[in-house]
């Protein structure tokens, strides 16, 4: 049993260490981790990762939308550049400046010097203005292209975060599934162990009852035999003998001493509770029965009897009479722990090596699995 518990604790530690590594908890796995607590922590962390993932998805959607807008702006500016260049090519001055026409072709049909100067000035200004506009559009397009490159970089970085969170979420879900399966297995094993323990208690109780009946029968036969012998000695027609001195009384057979686990009906609940309070703060020790250190059953035995003795173990106490209306001084017990009920849902018990004899709620001290019995 001890080896099985050791393996179980090792499995819990491994699961907790995996959880801390995967989820970045930065916590060392406790020596004896509680699977239910680990499972609750894993589920909480899984929810946190889900929230973070949704936030990153929203950020990615916003960035992608902005990138699409920038791409549309670039396409629009590219079209504006193309339109401007098409218009510029229709101007003679633009053709001339680019070498498309000769000076003679530009001046063909000029009537006078004034007309020639006007043509040259007009076509030059138009082409300069159009060229400037196209250049401005080209510069804006370059700015948009640079913006697009930066946005693509941001989108790629955000997508990487999304991928990482998705991976963490998948691993965290695996840890939750593993811990959930482990907890179910432990609960099933505990239920099986409790059933086996109860069966053993029932068998032990039945065996004790059989032994007691046999002992009572043997004693009764012995007494009857003695009486028969006396009657035989006194029977017949023999005249009554001369009275003899009264025989010396024979010592009666001593009553068997009560076993340590035999319940008594004379226990005062107030005295039991008073003794329990008097030992608050004492140390815990395995097998201890006092006066300064106790294990759980040794502590309960002292409180019930006022003597530093052991009435039995938790298995013994579970065989006592159960009560549904527990009173201060009654015993709260399960298959592995016991204490003295003091009322109000509280108990005093020898808890463990770290805390010794303390007051706690019954539910916390017994892990929500207990019965009340009366000594």
């Amino acid at each position: 049993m001890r080896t099985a518990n050791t393996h179980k604790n090792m499995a819990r530690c491994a699961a907790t260490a995996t959880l801390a590594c995967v989820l970045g908890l930065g916590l060392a796995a406790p020596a004896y981790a509680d699977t239910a607590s680990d499972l609750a922590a894993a589920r909480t962390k899984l929810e946190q990762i889900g929230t973070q993932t949704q936030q990153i998805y929203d950020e990615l959607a916003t960035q992608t939308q902005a990138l699409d807008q920038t791409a549309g702006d670039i396409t629009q500016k590219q079209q504006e550049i193309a339109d401007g260049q098409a218009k510029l090519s229709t101007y003679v001055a633009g053709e001339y400046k680019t070498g498309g026409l000769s000076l003679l072709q530009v001046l063909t049909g000029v009537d006078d010097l004034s007309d020639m100067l006007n043509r040259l000035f007009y076509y030059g200004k138009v082409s300069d203005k159009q060229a400037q506009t196209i250049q401005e559009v080209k510069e804006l397009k370059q700015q948009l292209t640079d913006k697009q490159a930066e946005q693509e970089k941001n989108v790629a970085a955000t997508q990487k975060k999304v991928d990482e969170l998705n991976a963490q979420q998948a691993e965290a879900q695996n840890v939750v599934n593993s811990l959930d399966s482990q907890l179910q297995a432990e609960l099933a094993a505990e239920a099986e162990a409790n059933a086996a323990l109860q069966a053993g208690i029932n068998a032990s109780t039945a065996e004790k009852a059989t032994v007691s009946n046999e002992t009572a029968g043997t004693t009764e036969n012995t007494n009857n035999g003695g009486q028969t012998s006396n009657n035989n000695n006194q029977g017949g027609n023999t005249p009554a003998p001369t009275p003899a001195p009264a025989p010396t009384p024979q010592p009666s057979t001593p009553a068997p001493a009560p076993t340590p686990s035999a319940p008594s009906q004379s226990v005062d609940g107030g005295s039991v509770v008073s003794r329990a309070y008097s030992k608050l703060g004492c140390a815990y020790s395995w097998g201890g029965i006092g006066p300064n250190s106790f294990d759980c059953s040794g502590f309960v035995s002292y409180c019930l009897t006022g003597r530093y003795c052991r009435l039995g173990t938790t298995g013994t106490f579970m065989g006592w009479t159960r009560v549904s209306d527990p009173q201060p001084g009654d015993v709260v017990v399960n298959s592995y722990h016991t204490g003295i009920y003091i009322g109000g849902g509280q108990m005093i018990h020898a808890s463990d090596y770290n805390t010794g004899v303390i007051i706690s709620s019954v539910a916390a001290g017994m892990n929500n699995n207990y019965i009340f019995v009366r000594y």
Side-chain angles (χ1 to χ4, degrees), residues 205 261-265 315-326 330-333 371-375:
T205 302
S261 61
S264 169
Q265 302 301 323
T316 305
F317 303 160
M318 288 186 70
W320 292 352
T321 302
R322 297 191 184 190
V323 293
S324 58
D325 57 337
D330 285 340
V331 178
V332 55
V333 63
I371 59 173
F372 291 99
V373 299
R374 188 162 293 164
Y375 176 66

Side-chain angles (χ1 to χ4, degrees), residues 147-360:
K147 181 180 179 180
Q148 183 185 40
E150 183 65 23
Q151 288 177 329
E152 288 176 347
K153 181 179 178 181
N154 292 338
V155 168
T158 304
Q159 183 62 54
K160 182 178 180 182
K161 291 180 181 178
V162 169
D163 294 340
E164 291 174 352
L165 282 173
N166 284 336
Q168 289 183 20
Q169 191 172 30
E171 293 186 27
Q173 185 63 59
N174 289 337
V175 172
V176 168
N177 294 341
S178 174
L179 287 172
D180 188 63
S181 299
Q182 181 179 344
L183 180 60
Q184 295 301 325
E186 289 180 7
L187 291 175
E190 182 178 355
E192 182 178 354
N194 287 341
L197 177 63
Q198 189 60 52
I201 292 172
N202 295 340
S204 176
T205 302
E207 181 179 352
K208 287 181 179 179
T210 301
V211 172
S212 298
N213 291 337
E214 291 177 353
T215 302
T218 302
T219 303
E220 182 178 356
N221 291 337
T222 301
N223 291 337
N224 290 337
Q227 292 174 0
T228 302
S229 175
N230 290 337
N231 290 336
N232 289 338
N233 289 336
Q234 295 174 359
N237 296 321
T238 305
T242 303
T248 303
Q250 297 297 318
S252 59
T253 304
T259 60
S261 61
S264 169
Q265 302 301 323
S266 62
V267 174
D268 176 64
S271 299
V272 174
V273 172
S274 177
R275 294 187 195 108
Y277 271 103
S278 72
K279 294 301 181 180
L280 282 174
C282 284
Y284 177 93
S285 65
W286 177 258
I289 58 173
N292 298 317
S293 63
F294 301 86
D295 64 10
C296 63
S297 57
F299 173 73
V300 168
S301 298
Y302 165 74
C303 293
L304 294 174
T305 65
R307 293 177 285 111
Y308 299 117
C309 65
R310 184 178 300 279
L311 293 175
T313 65
T314 55
T316 305
F317 303 160
M318 288 186 70
W320 292 352
T321 302
R322 297 191 184 190
V323 293
S324 58
D325 57 337
Q327 302 297 317
D330 285 340
V331 178
V332 55
V333 63
N334 60 23
S335 60
Y336 55 85
H337 194 53
T338 186
I340 297 296
Y341 182 63
I342 60 175
Q346 302 289 306
M347 65 183 288
I348 300 178
H349 57 123
S351 177
D352 54 36
Y353 288 102
N354 293 327
T355 56
V357 178
I358 61 171
I359 298 177
S360 71

